[in-house]
């Protein structure tokens, strides 16, 4: 198809970046004053010649992967790489999350399933799930706390929720994608928005479902027809902006994994309110309700959450952190507060160490205000 890697230039480290992008920043750790953990990577690891892409830079791609795309994936004349990110994906109305990679060119959006460990042979570990013309992307919905991204195309069945579980990654990817799609000829892109969320969806999921079913769907999702395109680019909304009037305040919303003996790791959502902490399985197969897709029938629409555990923040006895695995935290509860069927503790695995720090801070403030002493935090 002519010359390879059109629209990109090679970097000295074996990677390719788009023309007009800024120089790569030097690797540096993230250290916040008062944090229990810092997340950092060595420059040697970050700029390894075999690093195919970077979580902190959606514009970077290794030459071997870029060449594979140019020769085996891109089919339109002049098509070239724009961005990439990795995150588990849930297709609306379909199966639960699967490991995936999203590749955006100047023409199409490609979604690949990861089937094996990553290597310099992309054909050995990437399986294409879907591709859609980029100009059909209408909405980029940001999950509360930047924990996920939902991309909705003006194509039946083309709505995908990417569970990044990482605030920084979601912010960078959504910002970059909004710029790319806005510059696409004939783009149907409307706006970046915050996905709807209410504390009642996890506090009273069955009641929330009944309330939704009593309303017309267009009162929840807006018109099924895309609104007029904004004349100027929309700003990314505040992550915790309230969606429903009268919604109770939320201190923190986190997508994580929970370790259960005999069940390995299961995906969970953790929500912290003013006085309670909730843990449950979130129904990303049907929620958030999309704007352009055919909605489930009343009989098949399930609650937004299930298997929810709710505990008062004052039920917490201590938090245990792991020195060797700084993205893990154990929330231990007072024995006196544990009823039959309750868990004695929650073993949680976060995507980043910074997320652990945020959870510790969100629990410390109301706990210490109640007990007038420091919340015990131990290190294993």
């Amino acid at each position: 198809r002519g010359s390879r890697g059109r629209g990109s230039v090679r970097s000295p480290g074996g990677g390719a970046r788009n023309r007009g992008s800024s120089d790569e920043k030097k690797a540096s750790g993230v250290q916040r004053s008062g944090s229990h953990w810092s997340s950092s990577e060595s420059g040697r690891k970050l700029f390894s010649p075999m690093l195919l892409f970077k979580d902190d830079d959606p514009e970077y791609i290794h030459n071997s992967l870029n060449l594979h795309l140019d020769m085996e994936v891109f089919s339109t004349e002049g098509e070239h790489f724009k961005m990439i990110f990795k995150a588990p994906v849930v297709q609306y109305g379909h199966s639960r999350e699967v490991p995936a990679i999203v590749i955006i060119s100047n023409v199409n959006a490609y979604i690949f399933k990861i089937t094996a460990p990553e290597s310099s042979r992309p054909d050995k570990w990437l399986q294409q799930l879907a591709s859609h013309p980029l100009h059909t992307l209408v909405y980029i919905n940001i999950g509360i706390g930047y924990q996920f991204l939902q991309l909705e195309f003006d194509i039946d069945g083309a709505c995908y929720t990417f569970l990044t579980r990482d605030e920084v990654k979601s912010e960078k990817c959504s910002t970059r994608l909004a710029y790319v799609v806005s510059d696409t000829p004939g783009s149907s892109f409307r706006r970046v928005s915050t996905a709807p969320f209410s504390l009642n969806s996890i506090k009273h999921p069955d009641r929330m479902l009944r309330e939704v079913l009593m309303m017309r769907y267009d009162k929840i999702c807006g018109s099924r027809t895309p609104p007029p395109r904004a004349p100027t680019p929309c700003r990314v909304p505040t992550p915790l902006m309230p969606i429903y009037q009268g919604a109770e305040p939320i201190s923190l919303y986190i997508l994580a994994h929970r370790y259960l003996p005999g069940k390995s790791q299961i995906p969970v959502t953790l929500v912290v309110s003013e006085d309670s902490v909730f843990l449950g399985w979130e129904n990303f197969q049907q929620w958030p309700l999309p704007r352009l897709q055919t909605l489930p029938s009343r009989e098949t629409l399930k609650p937004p959450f299930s298997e929810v555990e709710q505990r008062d923040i004052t039920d917490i006895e201590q938090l245990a952190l792991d020195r060797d695995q700084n993205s893990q935290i154990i929330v231990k509860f007072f024995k006196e507060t544990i009823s039959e069927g309750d868990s004695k503790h929650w073993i949680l695995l976060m995507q980043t160490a910074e997320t652990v720090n945020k959870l510790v801070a969100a629990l410390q403030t109301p706990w210490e205000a109640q007990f007038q002493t420091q919340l015990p935090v131990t290190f294993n």
Side-chain angles (χ1 to χ4, degrees):
R1 299 195 305 109
S3 62
R4 301 302 176 192
R6 288 181 294 273
S8 62
V9 292
R10 305 299 180 192
S11 66
R17 294 179 60 90
N18 298 319
R19 288 194 176 100
S21 61
S22 60
D23 293 337
E24 293 171 328
K25 297 179 180 179
K26 294 182 178 180
S28 61
V30 178
Q31 178 70 56
R32 294 193 179 185
S33 177
S35 296
H36 292 276
W37 293 119
S38 64
S39 55
S40 63
E41 293 183 89
S42 66
R44 180 181 61 82
K45 178 180 178 182
L46 192 60
F47 290 102
S48 167
M50 288 307 297
L51 191 65
L52 298 177
F53 50 87
K54 302 174 186 176
D55 278 342
D56 64 345
D57 185 357
E59 297 181 63
Y60 174 89
I61 188 172
H62 191 268
N63 290 344
S64 61
L65 182 52
N66 196 36
L67 183 62
H68 170 77
L69 296 175
D70 197 41
M71 297 184 67
E72 304 295 337
V73 179
F74 299 157
S75 59
T76 303
E77 185 64 28
E79 184 173 6
H80 56 266
F81 168 82
K82 283 292 188 179
M83 65 173 291
I84 183 174
F85 67 90
K86 175 182 176 181
V89 63
V90 179
Q91 184 176 2
Y92 188 76
H94 288 70
S95 60
R96 297 190 180 189
E97 64 180 87
V98 297
I101 281 181
V102 182
I103 293 173
I104 305 295
S105 75
N106 60 319
V107 178
N108 294 310
Y110 301 90
I111 302 172
F112 292 88
K113 178 182 179 181
I114 300 174
T115 59
E118 298 163 17
S119 70
S120 59
R121 291 285 306 276
D123 57 307
K124 298 297 183 182
W125 56 277
L126 287 180
Q127 174 187 336
Q128 186 168 318
L129 294 179
S131 67
H132 304 294
L134 191 58
H135 68 82
T136 63
L137 177 60
V138 180
Y139 296 109
I140 301 174
N141 297 319
I142 300 176
I144 187 170
Y146 283 94
Q147 290 294 289
F148 65 85
L149 299 177
Q150 185 186 63
L151 307 185
E152 189 171 3
F153 297 81
D154 192 13
I155 298 173
D156 189 35
C159 181
Y160 307 89
T161 301
F162 297 93
L163 309 177
T164 63
R165 301 181 170 94
D166 184 336
E167 177 181 346
V168 174
K169 182 176 182 178
S170 292
E171 185 174 7
K172 288 185 176 181
C173 291
S174 60
T175 301
R176 173 62 181 164
L177 180 55
Y179 279 115
V180 172
V181 69
S182 295
D183 289 339
T184 302
S187 175
S188 301
F189 183 58
R190 296 299 184 264
R191 63 174 180 267
V192 177
S193 60
T194 301
F197 184 82
S198 166
L199 183 61
N200 275 337
S201 62
I202 190 169
K203 189 175 183 179
H204 305 292
D206 292 325
R207 182 191 303 175
M208 182 74 177
L209 176 62
R210 290 194 298 269
E211 291 177 356
V212 169
L213 293 178
M214 289 175 63
M215 301 177 181
R216 294 188 306 164
Y217 279 155
D218 58 6
K219 288 188 177 181
I220 298 297
C221 304
S223 173
R224 310 304 294 168
T225 302
R229 184 176 182 180
T232 56
C234 297
R235 298 184 62 184
V236 175
T238 303
L240 295 181
M241 69 184 299
I243 301 302
Y244 296 106
Q245 250 187 344
E248 297 181 55
I250 296 170
S251 302
L252 193 65
Y253 171 100
I254 294 174
L255 298 184
H257 286 87
R258 181 183 184 185
Y259 174 77
L260 290 174
K263 294 185 179 180
S264 188
Q265 300 176 19
I266 61 172
V268 292
T269 297
L270 184 143
V271 177
V272 181
S273 67
E274 290 182 318
D275 54 13
S276 299
V277 57
F278 304 83
L279 192 69
W281 179 78
E282 190 161 358
N283 179 13
F284 283 111
Q285 294 169 269
Q286 298 180 319
W287 301 79
L289 297 176
R291 297 175 174 89
L292 304 177
Q293 306 302 311
T294 301
L295 296 174
S297 66
R298 292 176 176 269
E299 293 73 27
T300 58
L301 183 62
K302 304 298 182 184
F305 284 90
S306 61
E307 303 175 25
V308 177
E309 296 184 41
Q310 176 182 355
R311 305 298 296 267
D312 292 338
I313 292 179
T314 52
D315 289 348
I316 298 173
E317 180 181 15
Q318 67 175 13
L319 305 176
L321 306 182
D322 194 309
R323 296 185 186 276
D324 296 326
Q325 190 171 7
N326 59 9
S327 58
Q328 175 179 298
I329 183 172
I330 303 177
V331 182
K332 300 182 179 180
F333 300 102
F334 288 110
K335 294 181 180 178
E336 297 80 2
T337 67
I338 300 173
S339 304
E340 185 177 354
D342 287 345
S343 302
K344 297 179 181 178
H345 55 256
W346 296 342
I347 305 177
L348 303 174
L349 301 174
M350 309 298 180
Q351 191 70 21
T352 66
E354 184 61 28
T355 307
V356 173
N357 292 332
K358 290 185 176 183
L359 176 57
V360 172
L363 297 175
Q364 276 179 328
T365 301
W367 194 97
E368 294 176 359
Q370 180 68 29
F371 290 105
Q372 295 298 302
T373 186
Q374 288 189 342
L375 172 62
V377 179
T378 63
F379 294 85
N380 298 325

